[in-house]
Amino acid sequence: RRKKNMPLPYLLKAIDFLLTSKKDELQLHFFGAEPLLLQYEVYAHAFRYAYEKSGVLNRNLKVIVTTNGALFNKKWIDLFKKYNIYLEISLDGAPKSHNINRPQRNRGNSYHKIIRHLSPLFAAGINVQVSMVISPKTADKINENFLHLAHLGFKKIFMMVANCVHWPEETLASLKNELKKVEASYPDISRTYSLTLLNLRDWVKPMRMNTELAVDVDGSIYS
């Protein structure tokens, strides 16, 4: 809404702040709205700076970019591969469910803007996972959407339940029934597509807050 980008000096200070942690394993996470609206040159500088400085400090750094993938091109993909960036693609399943969750102002099809870039992304061998948000409006299509993402070629799928929205009782019943379907289909699907449902490894209960510290575009820090 503010249509502002984070200035590079703020981003570098945020990286410096992260590296004041005494932990050996650190995570630098770019998220938005859509983080790739920030210029390519800013990312190229920030990635190089973060890895060089973490190397000097002997910290293991994992860099993650959560994106809808609509702005991908060969230049972005080459940059992610060069720095071994972990990508989390926001894609909520089949076209209907995804477009319900993520409508566009001009009634465009956000689903197709994403999947057109998947083949070159997979071919580049980048470490990528998909985040499938489950909303009350898509709770009756969870298994269908899970299977769709498997067919697209994702090897790591994470299901994220939408928070801070109203879940009617009947919708919670659909959620439970659909998750049972996923439970039944998962063994065969995981073998057929060599994929992992990350919830089985990394699941945490839905919560309003997490343990990350976020730096806003104006340098403000909040939990």
Side-chain angles (χ1 to χ4, degrees):
R1 291 173 180 170
R2 288 176 290 171
K3 297 182 179 179
K4 292 182 179 180
N5 285 330
M6 177 180 283
L8 178 61
Y10 288 11
L11 177 50
L12 299 184
K13 284 185 177 182
I15 294 169
D16 290 339
F17 177 54
L18 171 66
L19 293 173
T20 63
S21 170
K22 302 303 180 183
K23 293 183 178 180
D24 293 329
E25 305 286 339
L26 298 175
Q27 177 177 300
L28 175 63
H29 194 168
F30 294 86
F31 57 96
E34 175 47 50
L36 296 191
L37 290 172
L38 194 59
Q39 298 91 337
Y40 169 92
E41 291 75 18
V42 173
Y43 277 95
H45 189 122
F47 290 161
R48 181 174 66 252
Y49 180 86
Y51 279 117
E52 286 178 354
K53 189 158 186 178
S54 63
V56 170
L57 296 174
N58 199 28
R59 302 279 198 278
N60 291 321
L61 182 67
K62 179 179 182 180
V63 179
I64 304 170
V65 176
T66 295
T67 171
N68 63 27
L71 299 176
F72 281 159
N73 54 35
K74 186 178 186 302
K75 187 165 70 169
W76 279 113
I77 293 173
D78 288 346
L79 181 68
F80 297 144
K81 184 174 179 64
K82 176 181 179 180
Y83 288 103
N84 193 30
I85 305 301
Y86 289 75
L87 290 183
E88 184 177 82
I89 308 296
S90 301
L91 184 61
D92 298 338
K96 183 177 180 180
S97 291
H98 179 81
N99 290 327
I100 286 174
N101 278 355
R102 304 175 193 271
Q104 293 190 300
R105 287 182 182 177
N106 59 3
R107 299 182 184 274
N109 191 319
S110 62
Y111 171 88
H112 288 293
K113 288 187 176 183
I114 298 171
I115 64 164
R116 64 185 176 179
H117 298 298
L118 292 183
S119 292
L121 188 64
F122 293 153
I126 293 171
N127 195 321
V128 58
Q129 71 180 56
V130 61
S131 176
M132 173 185 138
V133 173
I134 302 166
S135 73
K137 294 180 179 179
T138 63
D140 62 341
K141 295 287 189 290
I142 297 173
N143 191 54
E144 174 187 316
N145 289 330
F146 169 63
L147 296 177
H148 184 84
L149 294 176
H151 294 325
L152 287 178
F154 287 101
K155 301 301 182 184
K156 297 178 181 178
I157 299 173
F158 189 85
M159 295 183 183
M160 186 175 295
V161 178
N163 294 320
C164 301
V165 295
H166 177 58
W167 282 83
E169 287 298 323
E170 62 272 19
T171 309
L172 289 173
S174 294
L175 176 70
K176 183 176 181 179
N177 290 334
E178 285 292 309
L179 289 176
K180 287 182 178 179
K181 292 180 184 178
V182 173
E183 180 182 26
S185 65
Y186 179 68
D188 287 340
I189 293 297
S190 64
R191 287 191 295 267
T192 301
Y193 293 97
S194 300
L195 65 79
T196 301
L197 179 59
L198 296 176
N199 300 72
L200 299 177
R201 187 187 69 190
D202 300 329
W203 175 253
V204 293
K205 293 180 179 180
M207 55 187 174
R208 293 183 182 274
M209 303 291 285
N210 60 31
T211 57
E212 294 179 340
L213 289 178
V215 180
D216 206 344
V217 294
D218 61 359
S220 300
I221 300 173
Y222 59 95
S223 60

